[in-house]
Amino acid sequence: MKTYALLLSASALAINWAGSAWAQTNKNEDAQMLETVTVTAQRRSENLMQTSISASVITGEQLSNKSVVKVDDLQFVAPQITINNFGQGINFNIRGIGKGEHNTATLSGVITYRDGTPTFPGYITEEPYYDIAAIEVLRGPQGTFVGQNATGGAVFVTTNNPNVGGSYDGYVMANVGTYGDVGAQGAVNIPISDTFAARVAAYVERRDPFYEVTNNGANYKGLSALQHVAGRLSLLWKPNDRWSILFKTDVGYLDNGGYAAGPYYNLCRNYTPATYIAANNNSTIVGSPYAIGCNSTTPNPQYTGDPLKFTANDTNKGLDKFTRSNLKIDYTLGDGTVIRSITSYQIGSTMYQTDLDGTDNGSLITYFDTATSSRRKNVLWYDRVNESIWTQEINIISPSDQRVTWVLGAFAQADRYNYPKPWSLVVDTPAGAVPHGDPLDGVPATPTQFKMQGSNPQAAWAVFGQIKSKLIWGLDAEFGFRWSTQRTKNDLDITQADSPIDPATHQPIPLLSRQSTKSYSFDYKAALNWTINENHYVYGFVATGYKPGGLNVPITAASQDTKTGTPPFGPERVMSYEAGYKGVWLDGHLRAQVDAYYNTYDHFQVSIGYPDYPTIFYEKNTTNSTIMYGYEAEFEAIFGNLSINAGLGWLHSSVGEFWTTDPRAPSVYNTTFGALPLPCDPVTGPNFQAYQAYYGAYGIADGWRSFDHLGNSTCHNLKGHPQSMAPSLTANIGVEYKFDIGGGDALTPRISYSHTGPQWATLFDNRNYGDRIGVRNLINAQLSWQHGEYIVTAYGTNLTDSHYVAAMNANLAWGGPPRQYGIRLLKVF
C-alpha cells in the first residue's frame, strides 16, 4: 500500500505543481489546450470523453515522444497492459485477461485490428508502427463490436490515409543507435487528381542482438541481426460526397534474428536439479519435489544472474512474412446513413527455431531415461506455420446527430493454419549427435521426438448491432449485442516418441487428428450514461466477452477416435461490470479518466497434465469462476509549454478451484512394472485409485501407498492463485517542457517512467521454478531540437540498464531490451 500511496501522491503533486506553475507564468498568455481525442471502435468517430469505453489513445506524434515503436512498448504508456514477448509468440493481456498459455491451440484474448481488419491472433504482432494516425487500446471485453478473441480487450491501429485534394507532403525519419541499430522510415502523399490520391510508406531497421551468448567458452554463432522491412501502399478515391473507396496493402519481412533465452536457473545462485525418479515397488520416496530448484544450498555452476547471458549450442532463428490487403467502401445515403463494406485478405508465415534447453553443456533440469538412466542433453524446437485469413464485414451506421443512433453489422471470417509437409513442427531431444554433444554421463540417450504436419481450418460468422438513445437530464442508454459462431477442425498427422513403428518402412505410424468442434455465443453490453455537462461524464455498464473453444491433438492411439478420444475444450467467457468518470478540468487543460471494474471469468482455458498421463498436456476448461477486479486512472494535462501524462492501474485476481500436475515436478516411474506417472484428476485431485488398480494387477495390494505423499505434492489445487500475466500494479508518468529559444526554434526535454509490478508466469506460483517475473521499472528520456521543418532528437530507453525478465516459457527466461540510446532526425515536408 505504501507503493500505491507514493505513486498516487507523486502524480497528484506533479499535477498540482504544474497547475500552480501555469497559473503563475501564463496569466497573460493564451495557453494551449488539450485536443479532443476520438475513438472509432464503435464504427463511428466519437469523443473519447463522452463514451462508455475505457481506452488509451496515442496519436502518431505521441508515439515518437513516448518511445512507442512496437507492440511491447504499449505496456509502458497505458495502465493494465502486460505483454510477455518470447519471440514470435506474444502473450498480450489487458486487466489480466488475454493469453496465458504458450501454444497455438489457445487463441489470444486481445485482438489487434489494423485499419479496420482483425489481424493474425497472437503471431506476427511485432509488425512495426510507422506512419500511424492513432492507436486505440480498449480495456475490458469488447464482445459487441469486436466479437471473439476480445475477452481482455482490443487494439485498433489506424494508419494515415491519402489526402484527396492535398499536396505532395509527408515525412522522412532516420535513426542510429547502440547495438548497431540503424533505421529509416517515411511516407509521401501523392495527389493524382481532385478525386484520387495515393500514399506510400516504408520502414526498415537493422539491429544487432542484445545477448551475450557463448558456446563451449567461445562466441556463439547461432544468432543473427534483427532485420525488419515493411511497406504500405494506400489509394483513396472520392468521386463525390457520397462515395469513399480506400484500398491498402501492407507487406512485411520481419527477421527477428535469434530470439534466444537461457534457463531460469541461470538466475539462481543455488540450484538443485529436478529429476524423474526411477523406483521399484519397495522404494520409499522421501521429500517433496517442490523443495528442489532454486530453493537449494548447492552452488549453481551455471549462475549468470543476467537473463541476457547464457550458453547455447543450437541455432536460433525467427522469421515472419506477411501480406495484408484491405478494401473499405463507404456510401452515404441522403439522410446521412452510411453503408460500409470492409474486405480483407492476408497471408502470413512464421518460422521459429531455438535451443529449447538454452545451454551448451546439458540442462540442469535432467530427465532420466528409465532404460539407460542417462540424462538427455538437448531439447530442440523448430516450426514453420502458414496462415491465411479472409474477412468480410458489412455495417449500416445511422447519422450521429440524432436522438437515437444505431449500428447494424454482419461479419464472416475464414482462417487456416497450415503446417506444411514434411513435418514442419518438431520438438526433439537428440541423442548426442554433433553439434549437440554427448550426454553428460557419456551414455547415448534414447531420442524422443514430437512431429506434426497438416492443417487446422477455422470459420466464424456473426451479426451484431447497437442502439443508443438520449433520455432526459443528460441521461442516455445503450444496448449492443453480438451473436457469434465458430467452427474448427483438425486434419493433422502426428508422431510421438512412443508411436508404433511400421515394420515395412521402419518409420513411426502417425496418429491422426480428424476432430471438429463448434462454439456459439451471445454477447451484449448494456450501459446507462450521464452527461452532466460538456466537461463531465459518468457511465456504468455490464458487458460480456467470449473466446472460442478448440481441439486437442491425440495423446494415444486410442484417442484418435473422434467420439471417445481426447476431448475438445470449450469457449471461455467474461462477465464485466464497470463504472467510470471522465472529466475535463481547468478550462480544458486537464483531462481525467477513472474507472472500477469487477469480472467473473468462466471456463478459463488452461493447459494441464492429461489425467492418466500427467507429463503430456492437453487443453481444458476450469470448472469454477476466476474473480478479477480493480481500478484505473489516467490523466493528461497541458499548462502552457508543460505537458504531463500519467496512468495507474490496480488489479486483484483469484483463480477458481481446480487440480492439475506441475509438469516440472518429478513424476514417479516404476522400473519393474513399467512407467506410470501418478494420475491427477482436475476435479477430485490425486487419483490414487488408479495406482491401486495398477499394482493390484501385479498382485501387490499396497504398492501404491509408497507414492501417497508424493501424489499430494505433485497434484495441486490452484484455488485462490492469482491469474498468470496479471501484475497487481501498473503505473506510468511522462513529463515534457517546451523551451522557446528564439528564431522559431524550440528545445523540448521529456522524461518518462513506467512500473510493472511482479507477476506470475504460470498458475503454480512456484519461485523455485522461476515462475515469478520481477518488477519492471523503466526510465526513458529524450531531448528534441526543432528547427523549421527539422527535428533532431537524442533519446535513451531503459536508462538504468535494467536486465529484467520479459517472459517465461518452457523453463526459459527471455530478457527484455537493455539500455539503448541514439539520435533521430525527422524532416516534415
Side-chain angles (χ1 to χ4, degrees):
M1 291 303 296
K2 291 182 179 179
T3 304
Y4 306 157
L6 179 61
L7 285 166
L8 286 169
S9 300
S11 299
L13 178 63
I15 292 173
N16 288 335
W17 171 82
S20 300
W22 169 75
Q24 293 173 11
T25 61
N26 293 277
K27 289 180 179 179
N28 298 321
E29 298 180 14
D30 292 329
Q32 186 178 355
M33 298 174 61
L34 290 166
E35 296 181 357
T36 300
V37 175
T38 60
V39 288
T40 60
Q42 297 188 146
R43 306 303 188 262
R44 67 173 83 238
S45 294
E46 299 173 295
N47 184 346
L48 172 63
M49 303 304 290
Q50 294 183 351
T51 58
S52 55
I53 294 177
S54 298
S56 298
V57 179
I58 309 167
T59 65
E61 180 182 357
Q62 291 172 334
L63 289 177
S64 178
N65 292 340
K66 297 180 179 182
S67 300
V68 177
V69 297
K70 57 187 181 303
V71 65
D72 303 54
D73 302 324
L74 293 176
Q75 62 188 317
F76 305 126
V77 299
Q80 301 278 265
I81 298 175
T82 309
I83 299 172
N84 289 273
N85 187 336
F86 53 95
Q88 280 122 306
I90 294 179
N91 287 354
F92 196 148
N93 289 263
I94 298 178
R95 295 179 175 175
I97 300 176
K99 183 170 182 175
E101 300 297 324
H102 313 288
N103 53 56
T104 56
T106 307
L107 297 175
S108 174
V110 176
I111 192 69
T112 298
Y113 273 64
R114 283 186 174 257
D115 293 313
T117 295
T119 58
F120 303 100
Y123 293 86
I124 316 184
T125 52
E126 75 275 26
E127 182 180 350
Y129 295 148
Y130 66 101
D131 198 29
I132 298 294
I135 296 178
E136 306 168 23
V137 183
L138 280 60
R139 296 183 289 271
Q142 306 296 319
T144 303
F145 282 98
V146 178
Q148 64 182 39
N149 303 336
T151 46
V155 178
F156 284 76
V157 179
T158 304
T159 62
N160 287 313
N161 292 334
N163 182 14
V164 173
S167 59
Y168 286 92
D169 54 50
Y171 76 97
V172 175
M173 185 168 71
N175 71 279
V176 294
T178 51
Y179 294 95
D181 190 12
V182 180
Q185 60 175 284
V188 59
N189 186 74
I190 305 172
I192 298 175
S193 71
D194 292 341
T195 60
F196 188 47
R199 188 174 183 91
V200 179
Y203 177 97
V204 62
E205 182 185 13
R206 186 269 180 204
R207 176 184 50 74
D208 292 331
F210 296 132
Y211 316 106
E212 184 179 320
V213 186
T214 57
N215 174 246
N216 295 322
N219 289 333
Y220 176 61
K221 304 300 183 183
L223 295 174
S224 58
L226 176 146
Q227 299 180 74
H228 284 187
V229 180
R232 180 182 309 117
L233 171 65
S234 305
L235 303 173
L236 177 59
W237 182 39
K238 290 187 173 182
N240 52 49
D241 293 339
R242 294 195 173 187
W243 284 97
S244 174
I245 302 174
L246 176 64
F247 175 80
K248 293 187 178 184
T249 290
D250 286 85
V251 295
Y253 180 91
L254 310 177
D255 185 349
N256 295 303
Y259 206 100
Y264 72 87
Y265 54 74
N266 282 5
L267 309 179
C268 304
R269 291 184 181 275
N270 299 303
Y271 183 80
T272 299
T275 60
Y276 284 139
I277 301 171
N280 60 41
N281 61 294
N282 296 317
S283 292
T284 301
I285 308 295
V286 240
S288 164
Y290 263 46
I292 56 175
C294 295
N295 182 20
S296 170
T297 58
T298 304
N300 179 8
Q302 293 181 207
Y303 171 73
T304 66
D306 188 340
L308 299 179
K309 295 181 180 180
F310 47 89
T311 64
N313 64 343
D314 194 57
T315 303
N316 287 269
K317 296 180 180 179
L319 175 63
D320 285 349
K321 298 180 287 185
F322 72 92
T323 300
R324 180 179 60 251
S325 295
N326 303 359
L327 177 63
K328 178 183 176 183
I329 302 175
D330 283 2
Y331 178 74
T332 304
L333 301 177
D335 65 352
T337 300
V338 175
I339 300 176
R340 174 176 298 160
S341 168
I342 303 179
T343 308
S344 75
Y345 182 72
Q346 46 198 321
I347 304 174
S349 173
T350 181
M351 184 277 288
Y352 185 58
Q353 180 176 348
T354 192
D355 184 342
L356 203 54
D357 67 286
T359 70
D360 70 344
N361 56 4
S363 173
L364 286 178
I365 306 173
T366 55
Y367 299 91
F368 274 78
D369 183 89
T370 56
T372 64
S373 296
S374 64
R375 291 173 291 184
R376 301 191 182 115
K377 181 170 179 178
N378 291 281
V379 182
L380 313 176
W381 174 280
Y382 172 83
D383 70 45
R384 182 164 66 91
V385 183
N386 301 326
E387 184 177 8
S388 61
I389 305 176
W390 170 86
T391 67
Q392 175 64 60
E393 182 171 322
I394 301 292
N395 301 148
I396 305 176
I397 308 167
S398 73
S400 299
D401 57 354
Q402 297 180 348
R403 188 176 187 86
V404 177
T405 59
W406 48 267
V407 175
L408 291 176
F411 175 82
Q413 176 173 320
D415 188 348
R416 176 182 289 269
Y417 289 96
N418 183 44
Y419 303 86
K421 295 181 180 181
W423 311 108
S424 62
L425 189 153
V426 178
V427 185
D428 192 14
T429 56
V434 176
H436 310 297
D438 294 328
L440 294 178
D441 54 13
V443 180
T446 303
T448 60
Q449 195 173 75
F450 176 95
K451 298 192 298 183
M452 186 168 72
Q453 63 186 15
S455 65
N456 169 219
Q458 304 176 17
W461 301 267
V463 292
F464 61 92
Q466 178 174 283
I467 185 168
K468 182 176 182 180
S469 176
K470 296 179 181 179
L471 304 177
I472 58 174
W473 305 320
L475 293 171
D476 65 72
E478 60 182 291
F479 178 78
F481 74 93
R482 188 181 187 106
W483 181 86
S484 307
T485 180
Q486 191 257 10
R487 297 180 181 180
T488 181
K489 66 178 181 179
N490 280 342
D491 187 10
L492 301 172
D493 301 335
I494 299 165
T495 65
Q496 300 177 153
D498 56 354
S499 295
I501 302 298
D502 187 330
T505 64
H506 303 288
Q507 297 297 317
I509 300 173
L511 302 179
L512 305 179
S513 180
R514 301 293 187 265
Q515 290 178 288
S516 62
T517 189
K518 301 177 183 178
S519 297
Y520 304 93
S521 184
F522 180 83
D523 295 296
Y524 63 89
K525 178 179 179 180
L528 182 64
N529 315 312
W530 182 23
T531 304
I532 302 172
N533 56 43
E534 62 179 7
N535 292 323
H536 302 285
Y537 180 84
V538 179
Y539 68 90
F541 65 76
V542 56
T544 64
Y546 143 84
K547 188 163 73 172
L551 296 167
N552 287 297
V553 298
I555 293 174
T556 64
S559 68
Q560 297 181 77
D561 190 291
T562 58
K563 294 182 179 180
T564 62
T566 311
F569 56 95
E572 62 182 29
R573 306 179 191 277
V574 176
M575 172 77 77
S576 180
Y577 304 88
E578 181 175 327
Y581 162 78
K582 301 183 179 186
V584 179
W585 296 77
L586 302 178
D587 296 326
H589 298 284
L590 173 65
R591 179 164 53 218
Q593 300 183 71
V594 182
D595 66 74
Y597 59 89
Y598 182 94
N599 293 339
T600 57
Y601 192 8
D602 291 324
H603 309 298
F604 171 54
Q605 298 166 357
V606 62
S607 291
I608 68 172
Y610 194 68
D612 294 331
Y613 303 90
T615 56
I616 299 177
F617 285 91
Y618 81 120
E619 203 83 357
K620 183 177 176 61
N621 301 94
T622 61
T623 54
N624 295 287
S625 297
T626 294
I627 303 301
M628 314 179 78
Y629 56 85
Y631 64 81
E632 301 156 342
E634 281 192 280
F635 304 93
E636 292 180 87
I638 184 166
F639 304 106
N641 291 344
L642 178 68
S643 299
I644 302 173
N645 67 276
L648 177 70
W650 178 82
L651 167 68
H652 172 81
S653 61
S654 179
V655 173
E657 182 177 50
F658 74 99
W659 295 79
T660 185
T661 298
D662 188 338
R664 302 161 299 178
S667 292
V668 180
Y669 287 88
N670 187 285
T671 55
T672 303
F673 303 112
L676 183 71
L678 181 70
C680 180
D681 188 274
V683 177
T684 61
N687 188 352
F688 296 111
Q689 290 77 13
Y691 247 37
Q692 187 175 15
Y694 174 77
Y695 279 94
Y698 290 95
I700 306 174
D702 296 326
W704 64 278
R705 293 188 183 277
S706 62
F707 302 107
D708 183 21
H709 77 282
L710 186 62
N712 284 319
S713 63
T714 59
C715 185
H716 302 276
N717 186 356
L718 301 185
K719 180 180 179 180
H721 286 217
Q723 184 75 7
S724 57
M725 319 300 177
S728 295
L729 182 68
T730 57
N732 62 276
I733 185 169
V735 181
E736 69 176 55
Y737 190 89
K738 180 179 180 181
F739 293 93
D740 296 316
I741 57 178
D745 288 8
L747 201 62
T748 305
R750 176 180 174 84
I751 187 167
S752 62
Y753 163 80
S754 66
H755 168 88
T756 301
Q759 57 187 295
W760 294 103
T762 77
L763 293 175
F764 295 100
D765 304 349
N766 191 337
R767 293 173 182 263
N768 299 330
Y769 289 165
D771 286 352
R772 188 171 176 84
I773 298 177
V775 173
R776 304 174 191 174
N777 290 311
L778 300 181
I779 300 174
N780 300 335
Q782 65 179 43
L783 178 64
S784 297
W785 171 43
Q786 182 174 355
H787 176 72
E789 297 177 341
Y790 294 89
I791 299 177
V792 180
T793 303
Y795 63 89
T797 58
N798 189 5
L799 292 182
T800 61
D801 198 25
S802 173
H803 287 201
Y804 61 94
V805 176
M808 274 288 302
N809 183 29
N811 294 313
L812 298 180
W814 271 263
R819 177 172 55 218
Q820 301 171 77
Y821 52 86
I823 191 167
R824 188 166 55 231
L825 173 63
L826 169 67
K827 175 178 171 54
V828 179
F829 59 89

